[in-house]
Every structure is written in C-alpha cells, then in structure tokens.
Amino acid sequence: MTSRTVTANLNLSLDGHYNGPGGPGDFSAFMPYVTSDVARDHMTRLHEQATTAVLGRLNAEGFMGYWSQVAVDPGADARDRGYAQWLVGSEKVVLSTTLSEAPWERTRVVNAPAADVVTELKAAGEGDILVNSSASVIKPLLAADLIDRLYLMIFPEITGGGQRLFEDGLPSTSWTLAHQEVGKLGEIALVYDRRR
C-alpha cells in the first residue's frame, strides 16, 4: 500500500439526509448554503491534496455538465473555478454498471465493487483519492472501513425525508475532529480523520 489518503465529502441536513424527500435530485434545502464562503472554502480544502476523483455514475453525469463550464467561466467565483479546473484536469474513476465508455477526458469507467477499486487505487500513484459527493460509493467504503477523512457540510435544515449516509449496520469506528467552521447562515463545515 502507498500512503494515499482516501477522503470523501458530502452535504447533510440536520436530520442526516443527503437529499430531500423528492428523490436523488432534490437538493432544494441545500441551495441557500452551497455558495457561502464557508462552503466554498470547504470545497477548496477537500481537493487541495487530491489527484484522483472517484464518482458514481449519477454524480459524474451531473458534474460533467456543470463543472466543465465553470472551469472556463472568468466570471465564476475563483474558488468554484479552482475546484472545476481541478476536477476537469484530475484523473477520474467513474463506478458504473451501465456506462460503456468514458464520457470525459482523463476518465475511466469501472464496473467493480467500490472497495476493490479504491484498494487498487491506494496501491499505486500519489495524492489523495477524493470520493466526490457520491453516497453510492461512500457507503460501501464506510462499510469496508476504507475512508481516512470525511469532509461534511451540515446545513441547518430538516428535510423530513430523503436518503441517509449513516445507516444501521456500519462497523463501529472512531474519528477525530480535524477542522470545524461555522458560517453566517448556520452551515457547519466539519473535517473528521479516522482514528486507527
């Protein structure tokens, strides 16, 4: 194994959901907070050491359509543009059972269990491996205890429904708070390191 760190980021509501009751695309409760200074600084932190982005298919398709435009937009916030340029330029691994070809430059599609793919990535290369807002990938990695750092944004909203990141049945693990920051709207940026 190399010393590559596996990181993951996700936005959560106060009641622990990463989307609203309207389904996988329901982020309406999060929209007032994602452009705050705290959220943008948090986004900058999470990609600073990363060289590889791991994404589920749904996020990859959404990200590709949005962030590639931000990467070349001179009017975009510099932090957004920096993240977008990193994402466009980095190695990307998309986990999918349905895609047959890589839809983006510097991207490969892999049809294999997330834990196997990340274990293989850890064994070669340099830099952090960022599991980028893809709960479908983060969940099995938490179950396999393969995540070293969690970047979480907690938004002061109770969605009353939606999908949860932390479900019953995960192995018992301990974490150390490495960073915290509270924004003017009550949003909280948290970074936790796995204590091993």
Side-chain angles (χ1 to χ4, degrees), residues 63-86:
F63 281 14
M64 288 180 248
Y66 179 77
W67 289 109
S68 57
Q69 300 301 315
V70 176
V72 295
D73 180 359
D77 183 280
R79 294 164 293 187
D80 293 352
R81 195 169 52 253
Y83 169 78
Q85 290 169 348
W86 169 82

Side-chain angles (χ1 to χ4, degrees), residues 147-160:
I147 295 179
D148 302 304
R149 175 172 285 170
L150 276 172
Y151 291 89
L152 300 174
M153 281 296 306
I154 309 298
F155 298 134
E157 299 282 338
I158 293 176
T159 62

Side-chain angles (χ1 to χ4, degrees), residues 112-136:
D116 293 349
V117 172
V118 168
T119 298
E120 181 183 311
L121 288 170
K122 280 181 68 86
E126 297 179 359
D128 289 357
I129 300 162
L130 171 61
V131 184
N132 209 352
S133 295
S134 295
S136 65

Side-chain angles (χ1 to χ4, degrees), residues 18-37:
Y18 57 85
N19 57 30
D26 181 3
F27 302 113
S28 57
F30 299 165
M31 295 313 291
Y33 309 99
V34 295
T35 58
S36 73
D37 283 336

Side-chain angles (χ1 to χ4, degrees), residues 171-188:
S172 178
T173 55
S174 296
W175 299 78
T176 300
L177 182 63
H179 179 84
Q180 65 180 340
E181 188 175 357
V182 179
K184 294 176 182 177
L185 300 173
E187 72 278 23
I188 306 172

Side-chain angles (χ1 to χ4, degrees), residues 49-125:
Q49 303 299 316
T51 57
T52 304
V54 177
L55 301 145
R57 178 189 58 83
L58 288 176
N59 270 11
E61 290 175 342
F63 281 14
M64 288 180 248
Y66 179 77
W67 289 109
S68 57
Q69 300 301 315
V70 176
V72 295
D73 180 359
D77 183 280
R79 294 164 293 187
D80 293 352
R81 195 169 52 253
Y83 169 78
Q85 290 169 348
W86 169 82
L87 185 60
V88 169
S90 69
E91 172 193 23
K92 289 166 287 297
V93 178
V94 176
L95 301 181
S96 175
T97 59
T98 58
L99 289 178
S100 58
E101 60 182 51
W104 221 7
E105 290 182 12
R106 289 173 286 290
T107 303
R108 64 185 168 107
V109 175
V110 180
N111 181 358
D116 293 349
V117 172
V118 168
T119 298
E120 181 183 311
L121 288 170
K122 280 181 68 86

